[in-house]
Amino acid sequence: MTFKTIEIERHGRAALIRLNRPEALNALNSELIAELDSALSDFESDPEIGCVVLTGSEKAFAAGADIKEMRDKNFAEALLENFLGRWDTVARARKPIIAAVSGFALGGGCELAMMCDFILASESAQFGQPEIKLGVMPGAGGTQRLTRAVGKAKAMDLCLTGRMMDAQEAERAGLVARVLPAAELLPEAIKTSQRIAAMSAPAVLSVKEAVNRAFETSLAEGVRFERRAFHALFATHDQKEGMAAFIEKRPPQFQNR
Ligand code: HXC
């Protein structure tokens, strides 16, 4: 399938989606979101793909929702067309998605990165929720995911002032998993994605589901959920294979079953 606003690559069992609207710093218009939804849905149902990397350009992961497309929208239109409804595909994906962020990740761009499972950032990355400067506020999870990631003080600071936070500050605050030199960002993201995709897929999906459960439930319920998911993995071929391989001092041959 060919796309206009994104590019797709396959690196073995890892897929790469590159946001590609350089003329608008990858501003997220409805066409781009529709293409992202479509590409991601394809990868979700493709058994050859185990993990996805979402990236932008060196200058911008994404500078936000497309302001030129949004400016004339009114309330009824936004409500009736379910504006932002299609953004949920990223957050709902069952396979892991790594955000590889260089340059600006602002507004909807920062929210998109936060919908991914973790963020690898280049030293040039800049994160922010500048919607307040446009007379609005975050609308794709910014006030919620940022607060869970960095805590109330920094989330309030960023959302109320619209200031940007650099990669080092974002890593210290817990928004970013790792900061890498610009040239290493994409190779490392792809390598990390391949490493995850080489694990047993039932274990990978279960880990993702269990970690995300931590945001939705009490500790006792979360721990109960985790234990049952752990028990369930003993029904897989890959549990027998993984443990046998360890004992026999050889690499495991997972079959995703
Ligand atoms: C539409 C955008 C855009 C955006 C940049 N561009 N951001 N177009 N929507 N969000 C366009 C510019 O208009 C310009 O087009 C071209 O990209 C290059 O941008 P410049 O501003 O010339 O680049 P620079 O001087 O380097 O400044 C970079 C920047 C600035 C600091 C990132 O572009 C900026 O502040 N952008 C807006 C950031 C923002 O407010 N994001 C939140 C959007 S609201 P032309 O045609 O002039 O060359 C949002 C709501 C989320 O995300 C709610 C739910 C999703």
Short mmCIF file of all heavy atoms in Angstrom, two decimals, residues 226-255:
data_model
loop_
_atom_site.label_atom_id
_atom_site.label_comp_id
_atom_site.label_asym_id
_atom_site.label_seq_id
_atom_site.Cartn_x
_atom_site.Cartn_y
_atom_site.Cartn_z
N GLU A 226 -1.67 -9.70 36.95
CA GLU A 226 -0.33 -10.12 36.51
C GLU A 226 -0.11 -11.60 36.79
O GLU A 226 0.39 -12.35 35.95
CB GLU A 226 0.73 -9.29 37.23
CG GLU A 226 2.14 -9.67 36.87
CD GLU A 226 3.15 -9.11 37.85
OE1 GLU A 226 3.24 -9.63 38.99
OE2 GLU A 226 3.84 -8.15 37.50
N ARG A 227 -0.49 -12.04 37.99
CA ARG A 227 -0.23 -13.43 38.35
C ARG A 227 -1.00 -14.39 37.42
O ARG A 227 -0.47 -15.39 36.98
CB ARG A 227 -0.61 -13.68 39.81
CG ARG A 227 -0.25 -15.09 40.26
CD ARG A 227 -0.26 -15.23 41.76
NE ARG A 227 0.56 -14.20 42.39
CZ ARG A 227 0.50 -13.85 43.66
NH1 ARG A 227 -0.36 -14.44 44.46
NH2 ARG A 227 1.27 -12.91 44.15
N ARG A 228 -2.26 -14.05 37.12
CA ARG A 228 -3.04 -14.92 36.24
C ARG A 228 -2.43 -14.94 34.84
O ARG A 228 -2.35 -15.98 34.19
CB ARG A 228 -4.51 -14.49 36.21
CG ARG A 228 -5.42 -15.53 35.59
CD ARG A 228 -5.45 -16.87 36.38
NE ARG A 228 -6.26 -16.78 37.57
CZ ARG A 228 -5.80 -16.94 38.83
NH1 ARG A 228 -4.52 -17.24 39.04
NH2 ARG A 228 -6.59 -16.84 39.86
N ALA A 229 -1.98 -13.76 34.37
CA ALA A 229 -1.36 -13.71 33.05
C ALA A 229 -0.07 -14.54 33.04
O ALA A 229 0.23 -15.25 32.07
CB ALA A 229 -1.07 -12.26 32.68
N PHE A 230 0.67 -14.48 34.14
CA PHE A 230 1.89 -15.30 34.28
C PHE A 230 1.54 -16.78 34.23
O PHE A 230 2.15 -17.56 33.49
CB PHE A 230 2.57 -14.92 35.60
CG PHE A 230 3.77 -15.75 35.95
CD1 PHE A 230 4.98 -15.58 35.27
CD2 PHE A 230 3.71 -16.71 36.96
CE1 PHE A 230 6.09 -16.35 35.60
CE2 PHE A 230 4.81 -17.48 37.29
CZ PHE A 230 6.01 -17.30 36.61
N HIS A 231 0.52 -17.17 35.00
CA HIS A 231 0.07 -18.58 34.97
C HIS A 231 -0.25 -19.01 33.54
O HIS A 231 0.11 -20.10 33.11
CB HIS A 231 -1.20 -18.78 35.82
CG HIS A 231 -0.99 -18.61 37.30
ND1 HIS A 231 -2.01 -18.30 38.16
CD2 HIS A 231 0.13 -18.69 38.07
CE1 HIS A 231 -1.54 -18.22 39.40
NE2 HIS A 231 -0.24 -18.45 39.37
N ALA A 232 -0.96 -18.15 32.82
CA ALA A 232 -1.43 -18.48 31.48
C ALA A 232 -0.27 -18.79 30.54
O ALA A 232 -0.39 -19.63 29.63
CB ALA A 232 -2.29 -17.35 30.92
N LEU A 233 0.86 -18.13 30.74
CA LEU A 233 1.99 -18.35 29.83
C LEU A 233 2.55 -19.77 29.94
O LEU A 233 3.26 -20.25 29.05
CB LEU A 233 3.07 -17.29 30.04
CG LEU A 233 2.65 -15.88 29.59
CD1 LEU A 233 3.71 -14.86 29.95
CD2 LEU A 233 2.36 -15.83 28.09
N PHE A 234 2.22 -20.46 31.05
CA PHE A 234 2.67 -21.86 31.19
C PHE A 234 1.90 -22.79 30.25
O PHE A 234 2.22 -23.97 30.14
CB PHE A 234 2.57 -22.32 32.65
CG PHE A 234 3.70 -21.77 33.48
CD1 PHE A 234 3.68 -20.45 33.90
CD2 PHE A 234 4.80 -22.56 33.80
CE1 PHE A 234 4.73 -19.91 34.62
CE2 PHE A 234 5.86 -22.03 34.53
CZ PHE A 234 5.83 -20.69 34.94
N ALA A 235 0.88 -22.25 29.59
CA ALA A 235 0.16 -23.04 28.57
C ALA A 235 0.82 -22.93 27.20
O ALA A 235 0.36 -23.52 26.24
CB ALA A 235 -1.29 -22.55 28.48
N THR A 236 1.91 -22.16 27.10
CA THR A 236 2.51 -21.95 25.78
C THR A 236 3.70 -22.89 25.53
O THR A 236 4.41 -23.29 26.47
CB THR A 236 3.02 -20.49 25.60
OG1 THR A 236 4.07 -20.25 26.54
CG2 THR A 236 1.91 -19.48 25.80
N HIS A 237 3.89 -23.18 24.26
CA HIS A 237 5.09 -23.89 23.81
C HIS A 237 6.33 -23.07 24.21
O HIS A 237 7.35 -23.63 24.63
CB HIS A 237 5.04 -24.05 22.29
CG HIS A 237 6.37 -24.35 21.66
ND1 HIS A 237 7.29 -23.35 21.34
CD2 HIS A 237 6.95 -25.51 21.32
CE1 HIS A 237 8.36 -23.90 20.82
NE2 HIS A 237 8.19 -25.21 20.79
N ASP A 238 6.23 -21.75 24.03
CA ASP A 238 7.43 -20.91 24.21
C ASP A 238 7.93 -20.89 25.65
O ASP A 238 9.13 -20.68 25.89
CB ASP A 238 7.14 -19.49 23.72
CG ASP A 238 7.03 -19.43 22.19
OD1 ASP A 238 7.45 -20.41 21.54
OD2 ASP A 238 6.53 -18.42 21.67
N GLN A 239 7.06 -21.10 26.63
CA GLN A 239 7.53 -21.19 28.03
C GLN A 239 8.41 -22.44 28.17
O GLN A 239 9.50 -22.38 28.75
CB GLN A 239 6.33 -21.24 28.98
CG GLN A 239 6.71 -21.50 30.46
CD GLN A 239 6.66 -22.98 30.83
OE1 GLN A 239 5.86 -23.75 30.29
NE2 GLN A 239 7.54 -23.39 31.74
N LYS A 240 7.95 -23.58 27.60
CA LYS A 240 8.74 -24.81 27.70
C LYS A 240 10.08 -24.60 26.97
O LYS A 240 11.14 -24.97 27.47
CB LYS A 240 7.99 -26.00 27.06
CG LYS A 240 6.62 -26.28 27.68
CD LYS A 240 6.73 -26.90 29.07
CE LYS A 240 5.37 -27.09 29.72
NZ LYS A 240 4.75 -25.87 30.24
N GLU A 241 10.00 -24.00 25.78
CA GLU A 241 11.20 -23.80 24.98
C GLU A 241 12.17 -22.82 25.66
O GLU A 241 13.37 -23.08 25.73
CB GLU A 241 10.80 -23.26 23.59
CG GLU A 241 11.93 -22.74 22.72
CD GLU A 241 13.00 -23.78 22.39
OE1 GLU A 241 12.77 -24.99 22.63
OE2 GLU A 241 14.08 -23.36 21.92
N GLY A 242 11.66 -21.71 26.18
CA GLY A 242 12.53 -20.70 26.81
C GLY A 242 13.27 -21.27 28.00
O GLY A 242 14.48 -21.03 28.18
N MET A 243 12.59 -22.02 28.81
CA MET A 243 13.22 -22.56 30.02
C MET A 243 14.16 -23.72 29.68
O MET A 243 15.24 -23.85 30.26
CB MET A 243 12.15 -22.95 31.05
CG MET A 243 11.41 -21.70 31.54
SD MET A 243 10.37 -21.98 32.99
CE MET A 243 9.68 -20.33 33.21
N ALA A 244 13.75 -24.56 28.69
CA ALA A 244 14.64 -25.65 28.26
C ALA A 244 15.93 -25.06 27.67
O ALA A 244 17.04 -25.53 27.96
CB ALA A 244 13.93 -26.52 27.22
N ALA A 245 15.79 -24.03 26.87
CA ALA A 245 16.97 -23.42 26.22
C ALA A 245 17.93 -22.86 27.27
O ALA A 245 19.15 -23.00 27.15
CB ALA A 245 16.53 -22.33 25.25
N PHE A 246 17.37 -22.25 28.32
CA PHE A 246 18.25 -21.73 29.38
C PHE A 246 19.04 -22.87 30.01
O PHE A 246 20.26 -22.79 30.17
CB PHE A 246 17.42 -21.01 30.46
CG PHE A 246 18.27 -20.62 31.65
CD1 PHE A 246 19.07 -19.49 31.59
CD2 PHE A 246 18.32 -21.41 32.80
CE1 PHE A 246 19.89 -19.14 32.66
CE2 PHE A 246 19.14 -21.08 33.86
CZ PHE A 246 19.92 -19.93 33.79
N ILE A 247 18.34 -23.95 30.34
CA ILE A 247 18.99 -25.07 31.05
C ILE A 247 20.00 -25.76 30.14
O ILE A 247 21.08 -26.17 30.57
CB ILE A 247 17.91 -26.05 31.57
CG1 ILE A 247 17.10 -25.36 32.68
CG2 ILE A 247 18.53 -27.35 32.10
CD1 ILE A 247 15.77 -26.01 33.00
N GLU A 248 19.68 -25.85 28.84
CA GLU A 248 20.58 -26.50 27.89
C GLU A 248 21.63 -25.55 27.33
O GLU A 248 22.39 -25.89 26.42
CB GLU A 248 19.74 -27.11 26.74
CG GLU A 248 18.88 -28.27 27.21
CD GLU A 248 17.71 -28.56 26.25
OE1 GLU A 248 17.77 -28.12 25.08
OE2 GLU A 248 16.74 -29.22 26.70
N LYS A 249 21.68 -24.33 27.84
CA LYS A 249 22.68 -23.31 27.45
C LYS A 249 22.71 -23.09 25.94
O LYS A 249 23.75 -23.19 25.28
CB LYS A 249 24.07 -23.68 27.98
CG LYS A 249 24.13 -23.83 29.49
CD LYS A 249 25.55 -24.04 29.98
CE LYS A 249 25.62 -24.41 31.47
NZ LYS A 249 25.02 -23.41 32.36
N ARG A 250 21.52 -22.83 25.36
CA ARG A 250 21.43 -22.53 23.93
C ARG A 250 20.39 -21.43 23.74
O ARG A 250 19.57 -21.20 24.63
CB ARG A 250 21.00 -23.80 23.14
CG ARG A 250 19.65 -24.36 23.59
CD ARG A 250 19.15 -25.48 22.70
NE ARG A 250 17.92 -26.05 23.24
CZ ARG A 250 16.70 -25.55 23.03
NH1 ARG A 250 16.55 -24.47 22.27
NH2 ARG A 250 15.63 -26.12 23.56
N PRO A 251 20.41 -20.73 22.59
CA PRO A 251 19.39 -19.70 22.36
C PRO A 251 18.02 -20.34 22.16
O PRO A 251 17.93 -21.41 21.54
CB PRO A 251 19.84 -18.99 21.08
CG PRO A 251 21.09 -19.63 20.64
CD PRO A 251 21.36 -20.85 21.47
N PRO A 252 16.94 -19.70 22.63
CA PRO A 252 15.60 -20.28 22.45
C PRO A 252 15.10 -20.11 21.02
O PRO A 252 15.49 -19.16 20.33
CB PRO A 252 14.73 -19.45 23.41
CG PRO A 252 15.45 -18.16 23.55
CD PRO A 252 16.91 -18.45 23.40
N GLN A 253 14.29 -21.04 20.58
CA GLN A 253 13.62 -20.94 19.27
C GLN A 253 12.12 -20.73 19.53
O GLN A 253 11.36 -21.70 19.60
CB GLN A 253 13.81 -22.24 18.47
CG GLN A 253 15.25 -22.59 18.14
CD GLN A 253 15.82 -21.65 17.09
OE1 GLN A 253 15.11 -21.22 16.19
NE2 GLN A 253 17.09 -21.30 17.22
N PHE A 254 11.72 -19.49 19.69
CA PHE A 254 10.31 -19.24 19.99
C PHE A 254 9.45 -19.41 18.75
O PHE A 254 9.88 -19.09 17.64
CB PHE A 254 10.15 -17.82 20.55
CG PHE A 254 10.75 -17.64 21.91
CD1 PHE A 254 11.62 -16.58 22.17
CD2 PHE A 254 10.47 -18.52 22.95
CE1 PHE A 254 12.19 -16.40 23.42
CE2 PHE A 254 11.04 -18.37 24.21
CZ PHE A 254 11.90 -17.30 24.44
N GLN A 255 8.25 -19.92 18.94
CA GLN A 255 7.33 -20.14 17.82
C GLN A 255 6.05 -19.32 17.96
O GLN A 255 5.07 -19.55 17.25
CB GLN A 255 6.99 -21.63 17.71
CG GLN A 255 8.21 -22.47 17.35
CD GLN A 255 7.88 -23.95 17.25
OE1 GLN A 255 6.71 -24.36 17.20
NE2 GLN A 255 8.91 -24.78 17.23
#
